[in-house]
Amino acid sequence: QVRLQESGPGLVKPSETLSLTCTVSGGSISGHYWGWLRQPPGKRLQYIGDIYFGADRDYYPFINNRLAISVDTSKNQVSLRLNSVTTADTALYYCARWRGDILADWGRGILVTVSS
Amino acid sequence: DIVITQSPDSLAVSLGERATITCKSSQSVLHNSNKHHYLSWYQHKPGQPPRLLIYWASTRESGVPDRFSGSASGTDFTLTISSLQAEDVAIYFCLQHISAPYTFGQGTKLEIK
């Protein structure tokens, strides 16, 4: 069974770059779309972007071209970089795997706080 | 954007009783080609990854107990737990993924009465 584990800093300063990694075990990166989601405190989940073999797309309007998603097939990892963060980017961040057109598998999530 | 309105925000049900959660979509999430509703249901327990329960509005994920079922009527979607078990205490939420940005219901906290 595939397992996804998010990792990265729990605290990022405003205007800096948030970098997270999702390490995948029990399955291959190849052949799947991989998504990133987040849940700000007290708000509903937001789908922020995904990737399939290097073609990333960001969907959430407030992301505003600040997002980059990449994959490293040699490490079986999916990475997220979010530039110019503000306090509004404070959230629990999840990576997830699409199984065809079903969002099937999630990580446990990682809490990222943006604060000086 | 498609807005998903989920209700109720919280729900307390006695063990063995039925629990019903609904999501209403502001637009159709029916895929024209395959006629599936692109609406999924998830269960989220603290400290665990969210778990897929139902996809295409009514298809139960492998390994999910058959007391969980989903149904659709137009833009209204229902998750039903036919006989609540103690292990079903969790937050439940729905997701529409017919069109970007994919959007979620706000979640329902299910507890034992």
Side-chain angles (χ1 to χ4, degrees):
Chain A
Q1 180 155 353
V2 69
R3 296 187 66 179
L4 289 66
Q5 178 69 57
E6 302 89 348
S7 60
L11 181 65
V12 181
K13 289 183 168 55
S15 79
E16 294 188 347
T17 296
L18 164 64
S19 296
L20 297 175
T21 298
C22 175
T23 301
V24 180
S25 57
S28 173
I29 289 275
S30 303
H32 294 276
Y33 276 88
W34 298 88
W36 284 96
L37 307 92
R38 70 182 185 181
Q39 186 165 28
K43 296 187 176 182
R44 67 183 67 192
L45 279 156
Q46 301 168 350
Y47 189 90
I48 57 177
D50 54 36
I51 189 167
Y52 184 86
F53 287 135
D56 62 338
R57 304 170 290 173
D58 58 328
Y59 289 138
Y60 197 76
F62 288 98
I63 292 299
N64 253 354
N65 297 316
R66 297 185 294 129
L67 181 66
I69 299 175
S70 59
V71 297
D72 185 334
T73 54
S74 66
K75 295 180 180 179
N76 238 28
Q77 291 178 335
V78 184
S79 296
L80 171 150
R81 285 175 58 87
L82 185 62
N83 300 325
S84 305
V85 297
T86 70
T87 55
D89 295 310
T90 292
L92 185 56
Y93 284 79
Y94 296 92
C95 64
R97 184 180 79 162
W98 289 87
R99 187 182 68 217
D101 54 6
I102 307 300
L103 191 64
D105 304 293
W106 298 56
R108 294 173 186 266
I110 182 170
L111 179 62
V112 178
T113 300
V114 178
S115 174
S116 55
Chain B
D1 297 2
I2 294 178
V3 177
I4 302 292
T5 303
Q6 184 172 342
S7 61
D9 291 335
S10 63
L11 181 62
V13 175
S14 300
L15 289 172
E17 296 299 305
R18 178 185 301 261
T20 302
I21 300 168
T22 64
C23 280
K24 183 174 182 60
S25 175
S26 63
Q27 301 174 33
S28 172
V29 298
L30 185 65
H31 195 287
N32 287 332
S33 298
N34 60 25
K35 301 305 179 186
H36 290 306
H37 293 280
Y38 276 36
L39 189 290
S40 300
W41 289 97
Y42 299 85
Q43 175 192 65
H44 193 193
K45 298 180 180 180
Q48 298 184 18
R51 177 193 185 190
L52 174 66
L53 297 175
I54 303 286
Y55 59 93
W56 294 339
S58 60
T59 301
R60 193 180 305 112
E61 172 73 342
S62 176
V64 173
D66 61 7
R67 63 180 181 274
F68 291 91
S69 63
S71 64
S73 177
T75 57
D76 294 337
F77 302 90
T78 301
L79 173 69
T80 301
I81 307 172
S82 60
S83 176
L84 189 71
Q85 305 300 304
E87 62 265 31
D88 300 335
V89 170
I91 292 173
Y92 294 82
F93 60 88
C94 61
L95 161 69
Q96 73 77 18
H97 54 100
I98 191 69
S99 67
Y102 306 143
T103 48
F104 292 84
Q106 69 268 32
T108 295
K109 186 176 183 179
L110 178 59
E111 299 173 314
I112 305 295
K113 185 186 291 183

